[in-house]
Amino acid sequence: MTLRVQILKDKFNQSLGLPFKELLPESVIVQALDELKIRYKRRLFDPIVTLWAFLSQVLDNDKSCHNAVSKIIAYLAGQGVEIPSSDTSAYCQARARLPEKLLEKLFGKAAESLSEKVTAEYLWCGRDVKVIDGSSVSMPDTVENQSCYPQPKSQKAGCGFPIAKIGVIFSLATGAAVALVIDVLNIHDIKLARRLYQFLNPLDILLGDRAFCAYADMVTIKNLNCDAVFRKHQARTTSMRKGKIVGDCDKLVTWHKPKKCPQGLTESEFAALPLSLTVREIYYYIIIPGFRTERVSLITTLLDTTTYPTLKIVQLYYQRWQVELDLRHLKTTLGMDVLRCKTPSMVRKEIYIYLLAYNLLRSLMWSAGTTYGTPALRLSLQGTRHHFNNFIPEFLAASLTQCHQLYRTLLKVIVHKAVPDRPARNEPRVRKRRPKAYPLMTKPRNELRKQLQTA
């Protein structure tokens, strides 16, 4: 058993470990296990082997447990040792034994490790910018998932899927996910955001859309010694006559504390809010064809017009769209949109593994970009995943010296797959591909089967 485990660790370290050696080496995993005081038996699927296999599983196009176990068997087959059963039960049980806190901790360590690589040249006006947004993911329709993450009320029982809401903070410099919270679908984005503020570092700038632009939140962010740039909430009216003009389409305005305690705040939190807050309002017009919004009003706590000119803040908010691309990479490119696990605990673990794998790819893109002088955010994440997966067999067959040469080659080909910069690109919001003409499910499957039998 010990020999087989060591063989698997060597294989995973050779195939996955080298590209990600700086971000998630075995020593970091062992340290996290020790910090959480996790004890485990000596078995084939120990936490380290299981974690690497889980990561390999979500990075692959075929995300089945059978494919993951097949890789384990293939790694051991050529070593002259006893191969495990092709049944996936042992691997699935090992995944279930992985503590959720372990994956959460490793995700945090990976995000922190990548953030430490950001130098001053990649900052905005000398400040680190974080982008916040919310999204949702669906999962198998099981009783456990439905009880924890209920489907939308508009769907009939048995005709929908459980859906979880996620709130994520991304780094604007690296594109990596920095923090994550998971909750039910009907929770408001701002409630998720209030659980994410604890992950901000002093002097960070938080960038977000108008869902996060609330008086209490602006105060909270300032109390953390951070700043915010949000689009103005649609419920707030704009008055051109109020405020101190500090530039073209730029003024300082005073916000007053709400008269009633908003939902989501306790009475003590509401009482602690200051009576007023000075913010900066910037408004501009968009004349690009295809853009839905014609006028944009921004609210920011960056009051110094010399250090943070109007145009720079407008350009910064334009980059907020990057968070939409990051979420699309997670949900569409990596396939996190539809999860596979059948219990809430495993669903949360699967989400953390996806974000961990995403950060590992981002670290690879960062290494490639900084090594060969190409902006990391312009590199293709899908192309990076393709190259990485295709290089794995070569890593497994190579010596240590050859592995380092292969690694340099991998970085070079990743740089070749750059996404062109197409500013102000616009496309009509239509679909050319016709969907299949099947009706939507409006009754549970067992009722539909009975209809077929009686027809």
Side-chain angles (χ1 to χ4, degrees):
M1 180 65 71
T2 304
L3 176 61
R4 292 196 299 174
V5 170
Q6 190 58 48
I7 289 172
L8 288 178
K9 287 182 179 179
D10 291 342
K11 289 291 184 181
F12 279 120
N13 275 326
Q14 195 167 345
S15 61
L16 293 175
L18 182 65
F20 303 144
K21 61 182 179 180
E22 298 177 0
L23 200 67
L24 193 66
E26 182 179 347
S27 58
V28 171
I29 304 174
V30 173
Q31 181 184 355
L33 289 168
D34 291 339
E35 290 175 357
L36 294 173
K37 298 180 180 179
I38 297 172
R39 300 290 178 261
Y40 52 92
K41 296 180 180 179
R42 298 173 67 116
R43 45 166 62 103
L44 180 62
F45 288 109
D46 70 1
I48 298 174
V49 171
T50 305
L51 178 66
W52 283 120
F54 207 169
L55 275 172
S56 175
Q57 183 179 357
V58 300
L59 284 171
D60 206 322
N61 289 325
D62 183 353
K63 304 182 186 302
S64 65
C65 291
H66 182 272
N67 183 47
V69 173
S70 178
K71 285 183 183 180
I72 300 292
I73 294 174
Y75 289 164
L76 294 174
Q79 302 298 317
V81 296
E82 181 185 359
I83 62 173
S85 169
S86 59
D87 186 82
T88 60
S89 177
Y91 172 61
C92 292
Q93 291 177 36
R95 291 198 316 171
R97 285 193 300 268
L98 280 177
E100 188 178 328
K101 284 290 184 183
L102 173 65
L103 301 184
E104 184 179 354
K105 194 174 189 67
L106 291 175
F107 162 68
K109 284 180 176 290
E112 183 181 351
S113 177
L114 188 52
S115 297
E116 290 172 353
K117 298 180 181 180
V118 179
T119 55
E121 62 184 300
Y122 299 103
L123 301 178
W124 181 84
C125 294
R127 305 277 295 272
D128 196 2
V129 180
K130 306 290 176 56
V131 198
I132 188 171
D133 206 356
S135 189
S136 60
V137 291
S138 69
M139 61 199 75
D141 188 11
T142 64
V143 175
E144 296 91 339
N145 286 343
Q146 284 282 11
S147 63
C148 193
Y149 303 110
Q151 67 184 39
K153 294 181 180 178
S154 59
Q155 293 178 329
K156 294 183 179 180
C159 300
F161 292 94
I163 299 180
K165 188 80 165 285
I166 60 172
V168 193
I169 291 181
F170 293 91
S171 167
L172 189 63
T174 64
V178 176
L180 166 76
V181 291
I182 309 169
D183 214 314
V184 295
L185 177 64
N186 61 359
I187 191 172
H188 195 280
D189 285 355
I190 204 165
K191 290 185 178 180
L192 294 178
R194 287 167 184 166
R195 292 161 53 188
L196 287 168
Y197 295 153
Q198 60 179 309
F199 299 103
L200 294 176
N201 299 317
L203 300 181
D204 279 353
I205 296 176
L206 188 62
L207 184 63
D209 61 17
R210 55 187 170 193
F212 308 100
C213 188
Y215 182 90
D217 293 77
M218 304 291 277
V219 171
T220 301
I221 293 170
K222 283 299 295 180
N223 289 340
L224 292 171
N225 196 22
C226 298
D227 285 291
V229 178
F230 296 144
R231 186 177 168 191
K232 188 176 183 179
H233 196 275
Q234 65 272 19
R236 282 190 175 269
T237 57
T238 300
S239 175
M240 300 297 182
R241 292 176 293 180
K242 293 184 179 180
K244 177 184 177 182
I245 297 176
V246 293
D248 293 337
C249 303
D250 195 344
K251 60 182 180 179
L252 298 179
V253 296
T254 300
W255 280 10
H256 297 283
K257 179 179 176 179
K259 295 180 180 179
K260 295 182 179 180
C261 179
Q263 291 183 355
L265 291 182
T266 64
E267 289 295 338
S268 59
E269 290 172 336
F270 179 67
L273 295 177
L275 296 178
S276 64
L277 174 69
T278 301
V279 296
R280 186 173 166 194
E281 181 173 356
I282 300 171
Y283 50 94
Y284 59 95
Y285 295 88
I286 299 176
I287 56 174
I288 301 173
F291 275 56
R292 292 176 296 176
T293 304
E294 296 181 355
R295 178 192 164 109
V296 176
S297 293
L298 302 181
I299 299 296
T300 178
T301 55
L302 299 169
L303 306 183
D304 189 342
T305 57
T306 303
T307 307
Y308 312 106
T310 307
L311 185 58
K312 273 189 169 292
I313 293 179
V314 171
Q315 291 171 341
L316 176 64
Y317 187 76
Y318 183 75
Q319 296 181 59
R320 191 209 69 83
W321 188 253
Q322 185 64 40
V323 73
E324 307 288 349
L325 302 181
D326 294 336
L327 287 169
R328 187 185 69 178
H329 285 319
L330 271 170
K331 295 175 63 176
T332 304
T333 305
L334 296 186
M336 196 182 79
D337 188 24
V338 179
L339 303 174
R340 305 173 66 94
C341 293
K342 298 181 179 181
T343 63
S345 174
M346 283 304 302
V347 161
R348 292 189 291 271
K349 293 177 189 179
E350 190 176 2
I351 293 174
Y352 276 114
I353 280 289
Y354 266 108
L355 265 72
L356 181 56
Y358 169 80
N359 278 355
L360 295 177
L361 289 178
R362 281 293 184 187
S363 73
L364 203 53
M365 295 161 67
W366 182 264
S367 297
T370 53
T371 302
Y372 292 99
T374 301
L377 293 180
R378 294 252 57 88
L379 301 180
S380 168
L381 188 132
Q382 180 72 295
T384 301
R385 186 178 73 150
H386 287 163
H387 289 312
F388 173 66
N389 284 337
N390 292 331
F391 265 70
I392 283 180
E394 303 304 320
F395 279 120
L396 291 172
S399 63
L400 184 60
T401 305
Q402 291 172 328
C403 276
H404 286 283
Q405 182 60 42
L406 279 171
Y407 180 57
R408 298 283 297 187
T409 305
L410 174 61
L411 297 183
K412 184 178 293 186
V413 297
I414 286 174
V415 170
H416 291 166
K417 188 67 174 177
V419 179
D421 186 14
R422 293 171 286 192
R425 180 191 180 197
N426 59 85
E427 295 288 345
R429 290 176 175 265
V430 294
R431 291 184 301 166
K432 183 178 180 180
R433 184 73 63 184
R434 270 62 175 172
K436 301 295 183 183
Y438 292 114
L440 295 175
M441 179 186 284
T442 57
K443 296 180 181 179
R445 194 173 295 277
N446 59 342
E447 293 184 17
L448 293 176
R449 288 199 190 100
K450 291 178 181 179
Q451 288 183 4
L452 289 176
Q453 295 171 357
T454 58

